[in-house]
């Protein structure tokens, strides 16, 4: 039996990078997947085609996670099609980097609206659905949420105050909701990746000098791949992790271990 057999999973920002890795892995693990995308429809379509050609089930859902009406429409389309929702991976996110002195209000708001408010809106809809649909026929949890946070929920990040603030907020969003709705058999956790090779940080990994500097921050000595996160996400969403609730799983090759202290201090 596959670990997510018979379950219905929605991945926001599922067309690219880590989200695409999650959608692929969830489908391989037996789940029907909803792939939310904001832009890049062709990329989302190609991913859905590839999941279907492997025998999986995929539904494309266009929408901006920071837009309440879009999110509500996306959940309605998903539950109309699949009958229920078992797993939400609130993954969509972006960076708009700038030093504090030059960061515009728009750059601040876009990142907070997408990375934090977007996660709130999706989690709220998922929890409303979990409560309305009742117990799962296949899992002890009525529903599960995975928040895609970052090592920057813990590590301050100069030049990225909007992003680090959003991820810090996401940590308490996750923990508070886990405390609030755990008794309803809703299981909620966070994932905190370190540097994973995706379009979000292409500017770093495509430049050998910047990549070298980045590797000094990773004790395990390599950049991560979306599959590194996806494998762990499948486990965290599965019943093997049924007693894991309200915690953050760091998947970072040791980036959060203060590597600067490895031979210093
Ligand atoms: P990515 O740029 O490949 O993917 C981000 C996805 O979010 C894209 O599909 C994008 O279209 C979507 N998105 C952005 N704004 C959206 C909106 N308003 N509505 C719906 N979708 C929207 O980057 P990556 O790396 O895959 O990022 C995924 C998540 O992982 C983000 O939340 C990011 O903060 C987080 N993360 C990434 C790390 C990395 O090193 N790549 C490390 C830690 C966290
Ligand atoms: C950021 C990436 C960065 C990683 C490690 C993530 O949250 O989105 O750009 O490489 O953290 O610093």
């Amino acid at each position: 039996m596959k670990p997510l057999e018979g379950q219905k999973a929605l991945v926001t920002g599922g067309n690219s990078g880590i989200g695409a890795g999650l959608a692929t892995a969830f489908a391989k693990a037996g789940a029907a997947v909803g792939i939310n995308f904001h832009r890049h429809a062709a990329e989302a379509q190609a991913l859905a085609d590839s999941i279907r050609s492997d025998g999986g089930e995929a539904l494309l859902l266009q929408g901006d996670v920071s837009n309440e009406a879009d999110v509500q429409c996306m959940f309605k389309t998903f539950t109309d099609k699949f009958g229920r929702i078992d797993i939400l991976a609130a993954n969509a996110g972006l960076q708009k980097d700038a030093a504090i002195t030059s960061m515009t209000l728009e750059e601040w708001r876009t990142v907070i609206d997408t990375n934090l408010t977007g996660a709130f809106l999706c989690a709220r809809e998922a929890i409303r659905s979990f409560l309305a649909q009742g117990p799962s026929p296949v899992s002890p949890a009525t529903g599960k949420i995975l928040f895609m946070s970052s090592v920057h929920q813990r590590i301050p990040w100069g030049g990225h105050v909007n992003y680090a603030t959003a991820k810090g907020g996401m940590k308490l969003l996750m923990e508070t909701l886990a405390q609030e709705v755990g008794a309803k058999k809703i299981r909620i956790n966070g994932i905190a990746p370190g540097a994973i090779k995706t379009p979000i940080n292409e500017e770093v990994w495509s430049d050998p000098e910047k990549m070298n500097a980045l590797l000094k921050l990773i004790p395990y000595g390599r950049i991560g791949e979306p599959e590194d996160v996806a494998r762990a996400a499948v486990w965290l969403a599965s019943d093997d992790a049924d007693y894991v609730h309200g915690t953050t799983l760091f998947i970072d090759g040791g980036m959060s271990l203060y590597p600067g202290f490895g031979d210093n201090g």
Side-chain angles (χ1 to χ4, degrees), residues 59-135:
L59 173 69
L60 289 174
L61 298 155
Q62 199 280 332
D64 174 352
V65 294
S66 69
N67 180 301
E68 186 174 30
D70 278 14
V71 170
Q72 288 177 336
C73 173
M74 174 167 85
F75 274 79
K76 182 166 176 353
T77 308
F78 183 95
T79 49
D80 281 353
K81 160 90 178 162
F82 291 128
R84 59 180 290 123
I85 177 168
D86 299 287
I87 300 160
L88 164 68
N91 165 81
L94 43 69
Q95 291 181 213
K96 297 270 177 206
D97 310 331
I100 182 61
T101 46
S102 53
M103 185 174 285
T104 62
L105 181 57
E106 197 195 344
E107 285 165 338
W108 170 267
R109 280 196 175 138
T110 302
V111 172
I112 299 293
D113 285 357
T114 307
N115 298 13
L116 184 56
T117 308
F120 154 74
L121 288 171
C122 293
R124 190 184 64 179
E125 287 319 302
I127 291 167
R128 285 175 172 165
S129 293
F130 295 156
L131 295 175
Q133 73 197 7

Side-chain angles (χ1 to χ4, degrees), residues 231-262:
R231 280 190 298 272
V234 168
W235 173 78
L236 201 47
S238 80
D239 297 342
D240 283 345
D242 188 54
Y243 204 52
V244 182
H245 178 60
T247 198
T248 301
L249 179 58
F250 282 72
I251 305 173
D252 67 352
M255 187 179 244
S256 50
L257 298 173
Y258 299 96
F261 280 76

